Amino acid sequence: MAEFSRRRLLGAVGAAAAAATVGSTAACSDNARGATGGDYDIPTFQAAPELDVQPYFTSETAGMESVYTEPVQTFFKSVERGPASGGTVTSFQLTWGDPSTPLEDNPYWQELNERLGVSFEPQFVPQPVFDQKFATMLASGDVPDLVFVNDQSAVNLQGIRDGAFADLSETLSGDNILKWPNLAARKEEIWKASLKDGRIYQVPSIVWALTNLPTVRTDLVGQTSVGLAPANADELLTVLKEVTALGTGPGGQQVYGVNKYEPVMWRRLFKVGPDWQLNGDGDLVHATETENYKAMLEWLAQAWAEGVFDPVAMTTNPADIISGSAFAWEAVSGTFTTPDGLALKQHDLPGATWDYFGLPGFDGSEQLVVRNIPYGRSTCVSAKAAEDEEQLHRILDVLDYFSAPYGSEEALFIGSGIEGRHYDFDENHIPIATGDFPTELGVQYVAVVSGDNSYRGHPNQTPWAESFSQVMESMAQNSIDRPLTGLEGASDTFVAKGAQLQTLWDDYERGVVTGRESAGDLESFVSNYMSQGGTQVRDEYTQALKDASE
């Protein structure tokens, strides 16, 4: 594992600076004016209370969060006001599993109502039919008080445009939001990115700007002529070929250079940048129109032809992947914040060793990382319910409770339930589910997260804390924002046809990699992509960027 200081890394930001035109973002004033109202102030940011443990690593680099290796030992109270004195708050919320146990048989729901001081009445909507049920709900005119909204969905976005949800700009303006400290525990850029027509219609969740990174099988790559630090795309290809040539690794498992195709990793390697980016003339162009993207396709096609990918690497079913690989694309939540992660991998395959990997740039410079949009799932408030100020404040009180940050008593209850019934603390003072009464907890509202957004490594992953921090910090130093952050929904064509265009793009790219298509036909593909909606998307985003800069 590389030697590393816990002090904040300094240094190589040149690649990110040089890419400024690729990912520049339109300016947004702290004081906003929208088409539907007058001036207001972006909600004041008030940080959540500090945790009772110290971070392992801290950073001031955009996109990087603090890293913790110790769980909190004491939980603070984030909601100081008492419960409400009655009333009802309804919700329309997404569920991925079974609906919650009914109220009369559910001690968790009963306790939740007591803590809120209201009767919380959720409507559970399964993910596969969410948009369909959402459209039906809008058409009925009966909009629940709190509604889960995915503003990348045409149906969901239409609800905002049609006036189904309240404009909360004045209610949450400036210090007004401090009435709800958990809602205030969101930085200003999160609010700015989620505005619609310059107004606040959503209470957005915090998210990590960087959520994925490569891992490396050091036992395999350490046997190659290049070693553990390939400096460019050519050296990386040599490593992939030499690992594949090994045939098997510890335990006799078949190994390849790569066993699952993940486009984002290769786009970082070849510094492709965001899907839509500004060229040197300030014009909006698609990533497929760039020379770097073409170079990436040619390199990947060669790599596939050399046999460094598992033949089933394009599968959509993870169960199909049974081989090992030199490099893998992993989620932070799947390797560092979980009790399993890299620790379990090494336990299950004696002789195999893993670490996090700092991807180079294809030409020997640094990689180019595109940060995620700065907000995640959102919640909207019914416009009709908001007409009653008392009810609006009751709704926001409930949402404030559900938005309790990590380390708080409220977040512990919301996420884990009742101690002794739903969870117990383990030896690290981490709440572990008992496995009993699993459907009782389904009632809690899932669409809001606030407060500290650190990477909270599980104690099992502490041996990798240094390399995790180093690789993530380097990624952040070489990361850029998207020029369209906060404007994704400004293109009606993208909202309506974005999924169709993405499928068209994915099919061509994977076809080139596997030899079914040719990189030489890229110009023809771009022409087809633009004719099927890409041109309209570009023109609408160009106008949105112009409007945002005025």
Side-chain angles (χ1 to χ4, degrees):
M1 207 170 293
E3 293 184 3
F4 176 57
S5 169
R6 294 189 186 187
R7 294 173 298 173
R8 190 179 79 251
L9 280 174
L10 301 174
V13 297
T21 57
V22 176
S24 59
T25 306
C28 182
S29 170
D30 286 344
N31 186 267
R33 176 183 291 275
T36 58
D39 289 345
Y40 70 95
D41 293 323
I42 291 295
T44 299
F45 170 62
Q46 178 176 275
E50 292 186 0
L51 304 178
D52 69 347
V53 290
Q54 294 300 309
Y56 176 89
F57 174 82
T58 60
S59 173
E60 296 178 2
T61 304
M64 183 58 184
E65 302 290 345
S66 295
V67 177
Y68 284 83
T69 57
E70 301 175 68
V72 296
Q73 300 299 307
T74 57
F75 296 85
F76 59 84
K77 191 173 181 61
S78 72
V79 179
E80 296 297 338
R81 62 181 177 274
S85 57
T88 298
V89 172
T90 59
S91 74
F92 185 90
Q93 62 194 66
L94 182 67
T95 179
W96 289 271
D98 296 327
S100 181
T101 303
L103 175 62
E104 58 270 20
D105 301 317
N106 191 334
Y108 173 82
W109 194 343
Q110 295 164 15
E111 173 70 13
L112 177 63
N113 281 352
E114 183 175 338
R115 293 188 180 206
L116 294 174
V118 304
S119 176
F120 182 62
E121 299 180 359
Q123 178 182 345
F124 303 106
V125 187
Q127 188 274 332
V129 296
F130 185 81
D131 277 5
Q132 175 186 341
K133 296 291 186 181
F134 192 100
T136 302
M137 178 266 294
L138 289 180
S140 73
D142 185 13
V143 178
D145 297 324
L146 290 169
V147 178
F148 175 96
V149 173
N150 170 18
D151 65 2
Q152 302 299 300
S153 160
V155 174
N156 289 205
L157 188 60
Q158 197 61 45
I160 296 176
R161 293 177 172 175
D162 288 348
F165 304 119
D167 181 345
L168 301 173
S169 304
E170 277 77 25
T171 302
L172 302 180
S173 174
D175 288 351
N176 290 349
I177 200 173
L178 299 182
K179 300 184 185 76
W180 301 282
N182 294 333
L183 299 188
R186 291 164 171 77
K187 294 181 179 178
E188 293 182 349
E189 59 262 29
I190 297 174
W191 292 105
K192 291 176 181 179
S194 66
L195 298 178
K196 297 293 179 288
D197 295 327
R199 308 291 290 179
I200 299 174
Y201 290 96
Q202 308 162 250
V203 176
S205 288
I206 60 172
V207 293
W208 290 326
L210 303 172
T211 52
N212 294 78
L213 74 169
T215 57
V216 57
R217 278 279 298 274
T218 54
D219 62 301
L220 300 176
V221 175
Q223 299 182 54
T224 67
S225 61
V226 174
L228 296 175
N232 52 47
D234 289 341
E235 289 191 2
L236 181 59
L237 183 55
T238 297
V239 169
L240 298 178
K241 290 192 292 186
E242 292 185 9
V243 167
T244 303
L246 293 174
T248 59
Q253 183 189 37
Q254 177 73 40
V255 295
Y256 292 92
V258 183
N259 62 2
K260 182 80 166 65
Y261 182 74
E262 297 289 354
V264 176
M265 185 162 75
W266 311 116
R267 291 175 193 174
R268 289 183 180 180
L269 172 68
F270 278 85
K271 307 169 72 165
V272 171
D275 291 0
W276 289 101
Q277 52 192 261
L278 299 172
N279 65 16
D281 296 325
D283 297 325
L284 203 60
V285 298
H286 195 260
T288 56
E289 299 178 273
T290 66
E291 288 300 318
N292 284 24
Y293 183 77
K294 183 178 181 181
M296 182 195 80
L297 289 183
E298 293 170 345
W299 185 89
L300 286 169
Q302 178 187 353
W304 187 279
E306 296 273 8
V308 305
F309 282 92
D310 185 322
V312 298
M314 294 292 180
T315 183
T316 57
N317 180 14
D320 293 338
I321 304 292
I322 60 173
S323 62
S325 66
F327 299 95
W329 184 244
E330 302 278 8
V332 170
S333 59
T335 61
F336 189 66
T337 65
T338 170
D340 300 331
L342 299 187
L344 182 63
K345 287 177 183 288
Q346 293 197 170
H347 176 272
D348 287 350
L349 190 58
T353 54
W354 274 265
D355 205 350
Y356 296 103
F357 177 67
L359 197 69
F362 73 104
D363 56 359
S365 63
E366 301 293 337
Q367 64 180 312
L368 180 61
V369 178
V370 180
R371 296 193 291 271
N372 298 328
I373 59 174
Y375 70 95
R377 301 175 304 199
S378 293
T379 298
C380 290
V381 174
S382 163
K384 183 176 181 180
E387 293 174 359
D388 180 336
E389 185 174 2
E390 181 179 357
Q391 178 65 3
L392 173 60
H393 282 234
R394 182 181 293 116
I395 292 167
L396 292 176
D397 285 350
V398 168
L399 191 58
D400 186 59
Y401 187 97
F402 283 129
S403 194
Y406 171 76
S408 68
E409 296 175 4
E410 296 83 1
L412 176 64
F413 171 71
I414 293 166
S416 299
I418 300 170
E419 185 177 2
R421 181 177 179 87
H422 303 109
Y423 75 92
D424 292 304
F425 286 106
D426 69 5
E427 66 277 9
N428 296 305
H429 203 65
I430 296 174
I432 302 297
T434 62
D436 300 326
F437 317 108
T439 60
E440 290 182 358
L441 268 64
V443 66
Q444 80 268 41
Y445 200 71
V446 297
V448 286
V449 182
S450 73
D452 178 81
N453 199 29
S454 297
Y455 296 114
R456 301 178 195 108
H458 190 277
N460 289 356
Q461 312 307 330
T462 299
W464 292 275
E466 288 190 2
S467 61
F468 173 82
S469 302
Q470 181 182 28
V471 170
M472 293 295 290
E473 172 69 12
S474 178
M475 284 165 44
Q477 288 183 358
N478 294 287
S479 70
I480 59 172
D481 199 1
R482 307 158 191 259
L484 295 174
T485 291
L487 299 174
E488 290 85 354
S491 166
D492 290 340
T493 306
F494 173 76
V495 171
K497 293 185 177 182
Q500 172 187 328
L501 289 169
Q502 186 63 51
T503 298
L504 186 69
W505 184 8
D506 288 344
D507 185 65
Y508 173 73
E509 179 173 304
R510 292 168 186 265
V512 171
V513 175
T514 58
R516 176 170 46 85
E517 302 276 0
S518 170
D521 294 331
L522 179 58
E523 186 175 339
S524 176
F525 164 75
V526 171
S527 178
N528 182 42
Y529 183 93
M530 291 300 178
S531 69
Q532 295 201 35
T535 297
Q536 291 172 281
V537 172
R538 181 195 61 206
D539 292 347
E540 289 163 1
Y541 279 149
T542 297
Q543 185 61 50
L545 286 170
K546 180 181 177 181
D547 293 344
S549 65
E550 293 178 349

